[in-house]
Amino acid sequence: MSILGLKKKQPKTFKVKVITMDAEMEFSCEVKWKGKDLFDLVCRTIGLRETWFFGLRYTVKDTYAWLKTEKRVLDQEVPKDSPITFHFLAKFFPEKVEEELVQEITQHLFFLQVKKQILDEEIFCSPEASVLLASYAVQAKYGDYDPNFHKPGFLAQDELLPKRVLMQYQMTADMWEEKITAWYAEHRGIARDEAEMDYLKIAQDLEMYGVSYFSITQNKRDTELLLGVDAQGLHIYNPNSKLNPNKSFPWSGIRNISYSEKEFTIKPLDKKKDVFKFYSSQLRVNKLILQLCIGNHDLFMRRRKVDSIEVQQMKAQAKEEKARKKVERQILAREKQMREEAERAKEEMERRLFQLQDEARLANEALLRSEETADLLAEKAQIAEEEAKLLAHKAAEAEQERQRLEVTALKTKEEKRLMEQKMREAEQLAVKLVEQSERRSKEADHLKQDLSEAKDAERRAKQKLLEITKTTYPLIAAYSSPPPPPDGGDLSLESASVRMDFKDTDMKRLSMEIERERLEYMEKSKHLQDQLKELKSEIESLKLEEQQAGMFAHRGEARSYPDPPYVPHSNRNSAYMAQMAYFEEV
């Protein structure tokens, strides 16, 4: 045998790319592989055992189709590209996700697919339900909410709400994030698989959940309708409404479904009801409708039977796995709590340490300040002691000054009393002088009057004498001549003339003396009044000094002021004594 004969022919292969909801995989397949071989390879790769929900979908022309498991891959209408692209998706949906979905990977794939359908608006969802579902999606992705870690804006890159909901309200992204975060904070303690299951339990109650829609006509007149196929049965909708069906055919009430070319026939289990027929435009779509009807009906019948041993084992394992994960989560939660408590205790100890360090630093600073303060206080105490001595000295001086002021005040009071007494005496003396002056003035007036009368009498006497002399002298000369005097003169005339001259001289001298005394008296009276004015001014100055001395004594200020100028006692009394001596002389 030749070496070439020993070589086996290598099987031809083709490339396949399978896209799941969270990964992309590439496989090298043999040309003889059937759809089941590729599907099983994908399920083994991702660890999926609940295979009856899923299928490999591909795009053909303007619609899609599911890879058939009993036929070879390349014998079907798959794209001829290399690699051939398939999408691993859920083909059939459970009636109750919590009871039927056993594996965690199954729940996760359903969660991702339903979430995408809601965001792509293939499943209608109200704004309130969208926000709630988004909060569970955030819990599944990020875990428990931590305000220290999940700062505002942490959801900016996540697609969580349908565009229709975002456009329906005039709200910013921050406002939507705030609403989602408010619900997200309420889900604390929920694990990822639990959050995904809660998401699916809410989503399965939506009207369009798990429904595959197809355009149909009820008759040849082309009345447009929509056919919906889901886990509950078949539903007929108006083209403008995919939420509320006009007619429904549950799987429990359908006896048979058949189609011939483009015509579908639904035969109710109740023979009294009419058979429902509808038409589809494409043969490929008819095959897809029939395939979905058969698969959903088989699952509907399977749910109402006892679970197979494989499913029972899967559920038991899943239950044990959930219990184990629950215990692990509890342990993890306790450890996390203990770690958080330890971190809090550590932070508290660090905070306390920092606080103690700050307190120690402050205490050291306070100690230094206290030492500085002690030195300063000692210095201040010394200064205060010196000031106290100085103040004591000043106090003594103030006391001496106070005593001096008291003595001065007493002297001032005594001098004031004496001056007032002297003033009263001077006033009395002035009154007496005024009375004497008036009396002297009256006497002078009387003397003047007497003098005037005397002068008038003298003048009259002289006139009479002259008249008599003139009358008698010629007679005497004619009749007799008296003997001449011894000295040869007129003796009687001379003597009379001498007497008259004497009287005139005396009167003049008396008048001059009286006038002189009156002038002297007036000068003395004027001088006395001036002295009285000076005495009053001195008394006023003494009163002012007494008031100032009383004010200083009342305030008790220990200050030294220069003594106000004052006239010595002997000088102040000299004028008064001189006046008294003068009056005594008078």
Side-chain angles (χ1 to χ4, degrees):
M1 296 178 62
S2 64
I3 298 175
L4 296 174
L6 295 175
K7 292 182 179 180
K8 294 183 179 180
K9 292 182 179 181
Q10 294 294 332
K12 293 181 179 181
T13 60
F14 60 94
K15 300 292 183 180
V16 173
K17 182 171 72 172
V18 179
I19 301 175
T20 65
M21 294 304 302
D22 58 353
E24 291 186 4
M25 299 171 289
E26 290 190 1
F27 302 98
S28 180
C29 304
E30 298 180 8
V31 293
K32 65 179 181 179
W33 277 14
K34 295 182 179 180
K36 186 177 183 303
D37 298 326
L38 178 59
F39 181 76
D40 292 341
L41 177 61
V42 175
C43 292
R44 287 195 304 270
T45 303
I46 63 177
L48 180 68
R49 297 180 63 184
E50 296 175 272
T51 59
W52 50 85
F53 291 112
F54 297 90
L56 292 172
R57 197 178 76 177
Y58 60 92
T59 303
V60 50
K61 293 183 180 181
D62 56 348
T63 185
Y64 66 89
W66 295 94
L67 186 67
K68 297 177 182 179
T69 57
E70 67 278 2
K71 293 179 65 175
R72 292 174 60 176
V73 176
L74 297 180
D75 291 344
Q76 302 182 43
E77 294 181 331
V78 297
K80 303 305 179 183
D81 301 332
S82 182
I84 304 173
T85 302
F86 294 97
H87 290 271
F88 188 83
L89 297 172
K91 185 177 181 180
F92 307 105
F93 288 78
E95 294 182 23
K96 296 181 180 179
V97 292
E98 190 174 11
E99 296 177 2
E100 297 183 44
L101 301 182
V102 179
Q103 284 186 290
E104 185 176 343
I105 180 63
T106 310
Q107 298 175 9
H108 183 61
L109 291 175
F110 265 99
F111 163 74
L112 294 177
Q113 184 170 340
V114 173
K115 176 186 172 185
K116 187 176 185 304
Q117 288 178 336
I118 291 175
L119 295 178
D120 293 343
E121 300 183 13
E122 295 178 8
I123 297 177
F124 176 81
C125 185
S126 64
E128 294 80 7
S130 299
V131 173
L132 180 58
L133 291 174
S135 66
Y136 280 110
V138 174
Q139 178 70 22
K141 182 177 181 180
Y142 294 100
D144 290 342
Y145 174 68
D146 186 359
N148 297 324
F149 179 75
H150 301 109
K151 301 293 184 181
F154 76 104
L155 299 178
Q157 304 300 324
D158 294 329
E159 186 180 3
L160 298 172
L161 297 173
K163 293 182 180 179
R164 175 184 51 80
V165 175
L166 295 175
M167 298 297 293
Q168 187 174 354
Y169 297 94
Q170 294 180 353
M171 295 175 62
T172 61
D174 295 337
M175 297 170 68
W176 285 115
E177 180 179 313
E178 184 179 355
K179 280 186 170 294
I180 294 172
T181 305
W183 282 102
Y184 169 42
E186 299 292 330
H187 304 328
R188 185 175 181 83
I190 299 178
R192 191 196 77 168
D193 57 339
E194 294 176 347
E196 292 178 349
M197 180 56 68
D198 291 336
Y199 187 100
L200 292 174
K201 286 193 292 185
I202 296 173
Q204 73 179 355
D205 294 331
L206 301 175
E207 288 80 358
M208 297 177 66
Y209 166 81
V211 182
S212 299
Y213 294 94
F214 302 94
S215 296
I216 61 172
T217 56
Q218 190 174 359
N219 49 47
K220 294 182 180 180
R221 289 178 296 185
D222 296 333
T223 302
E224 294 291 335
L225 295 173
L226 287 177
L227 172 67
V229 184
D230 63 4
Q232 300 292 332
L234 299 177
H235 310 282
I236 308 300
Y237 301 88
N238 287 327
N240 298 325
S241 176
K242 294 183 179 180
L243 299 178
N244 299 316
N246 296 334
K247 186 180 294 186
S248 295
F249 301 95
W251 296 120
S252 59
I254 297 176
R255 184 178 59 179
N256 185 21
I257 299 176
S258 61
Y259 87 97
S260 175
E261 294 183 354
K262 296 181 181 181
E263 183 183 54
F264 269 86
T265 302
I266 300 175
K267 295 181 179 179
L269 188 62
D270 188 358
K271 295 182 179 181
K272 296 181 180 180
K273 294 184 178 180
D274 296 335
V275 176
F276 184 79
K277 294 183 179 182
F278 60 89
Y279 299 89
S280 177
S281 59
Q282 298 181 11
L283 181 60
R284 187 182 300 107
V285 175
N286 294 340
K287 292 180 180 180
L288 178 59
I289 293 173
L290 183 61
Q291 187 179 4
L292 290 176
C293 289
I294 293 172
N296 279 297
H297 185 266
D298 290 342
L299 287 176
F300 175 80
M301 298 302 296
R302 182 177 179 174
R303 294 185 192 102
R304 279 135 185 92
K305 295 180 182 180
V306 180
D307 294 333
S308 63
I309 296 176
E310 181 183 4
V311 175
Q312 291 178 7
Q313 290 176 352
M314 288 172 56
K315 288 184 177 181
Q317 291 176 0
K319 187 176 181 180
E320 293 175 359
E321 185 70 15
K322 287 182 179 180
R324 182 181 63 80
K325 287 185 177 180
K326 185 176 181 180
V327 173
E328 290 178 355
R329 283 197 296 269
Q330 291 177 352
I331 295 173
L332 182 62
R334 285 198 298 270
E335 291 178 353
K336 183 178 179 181
Q337 183 178 1
M338 292 174 64
R339 184 170 64 252
E340 290 177 352
E341 291 177 355
E343 289 178 355
R344 286 195 295 270
K346 180 182 177 182
E347 291 176 356
E348 180 64 23
M349 292 179 66
E350 290 178 352
R351 187 187 64 79
R352 182 60 180 166
L353 177 61
F354 291 151
Q355 184 178 0
L356 290 175
Q357 290 177 352
D358 292 339
E359 291 178 357
R361 179 177 57 79
L362 294 174
N364 291 329
E365 294 177 356
L367 180 60
L368 293 176
R369 287 196 300 270
S370 63
E371 292 176 354
E372 295 175 356
T373 305
D375 297 338
L376 184 61
L377 288 175
E379 185 178 356
K380 287 185 176 180
Q382 185 177 359
I383 295 173
E385 185 177 358
E386 295 176 357
E387 290 180 352
K389 292 179 179 179
L390 182 60
L391 290 174
H393 180 66
K394 289 184 177 181
E397 292 180 353
E399 181 64 22
Q400 294 177 359
E401 181 66 17
R402 186 186 63 80
Q403 293 177 359
R404 188 183 66 79
L405 290 174
E406 287 181 355
V407 172
T408 303
L410 292 175
K411 290 181 179 180
T412 303
K413 288 181 180 179
E414 183 65 23
E415 290 177 356
K416 179 183 176 182
R417 186 182 62 78
L418 293 174
M419 291 299 293
E420 287 179 353
Q421 183 178 357
K422 291 178 180 179
M423 184 177 176
R424 286 195 299 272
E425 293 176 356
E427 288 177 354
Q428 293 175 1
L429 181 59
V431 171
K432 290 181 181 180
L433 289 175
V434 170
E435 291 176 354
Q436 291 179 3
S437 176
E438 291 178 353
R439 187 171 61 253
R440 291 289 182 89
S441 179
K442 289 179 180 180
E443 290 178 356
D445 290 339
H446 288 302
L447 289 175
K448 285 182 180 181
Q449 188 177 2
D450 293 340
L451 180 60
S452 178
E453 290 176 355
K455 285 182 178 182
D456 291 340
E458 182 182 0
R459 190 173 55 252
R460 285 193 303 269
K462 284 181 177 183
Q463 187 69 28
K464 279 184 178 185
L465 182 60
L466 288 175
E467 290 178 356
I468 293 172
T469 301
K470 288 179 180 181
T471 305
T472 59
Y473 183 72
L475 293 176
I476 294 174
Y479 291 100
S480 63
S481 297
D487 53 1
D490 192 356
L491 182 62
S492 61
L493 185 60
E494 284 182 8
S495 61
S497 176
V498 169
R499 284 193 300 269
M500 292 300 293
D501 293 338
F502 176 77
K503 288 181 180 180
D504 291 339
T505 303
D506 289 340
M507 292 298 292
K508 289 181 180 178
R509 186 176 63 254
L510 180 60
S511 177
M512 290 176 64
E513 287 178 359
I514 292 170
E515 185 68 21
R516 182 175 56 80
E517 288 179 0
R518 188 180 66 82
L519 293 175
E520 290 177 358
Y521 177 77
M522 293 298 291
E523 289 178 359
K524 289 180 181 180
S525 178
K526 183 179 180 182
H527 182 66
L528 182 61
Q529 289 178 0
D530 293 338
Q531 288 182 349
L532 286 174
K533 290 181 181 179
E534 292 178 0
L535 184 61
K536 288 182 179 180
S537 62
E538 289 180 2
I539 291 172
E540 291 297 328
S541 63
L542 288 175
K543 288 182 179 180
L544 181 62
E545 291 176 4
E546 181 181 4
Q547 289 177 359
Q548 291 179 354
M551 180 176 64
F552 293 148
H554 177 69
R555 290 183 180 178
E557 296 181 354
R559 297 182 182 179
S560 59
Y561 294 96
D563 292 336
Y566 68 95
V567 181
H569 183 70
S570 59
N571 294 336
R572 284 198 298 268
N573 294 335
S574 60
Y576 175 75
M577 296 300 293
Q579 293 171 4
M580 293 299 296
Y582 168 76
F583 288 127
E584 288 177 358
E585 291 177 0
V586 174

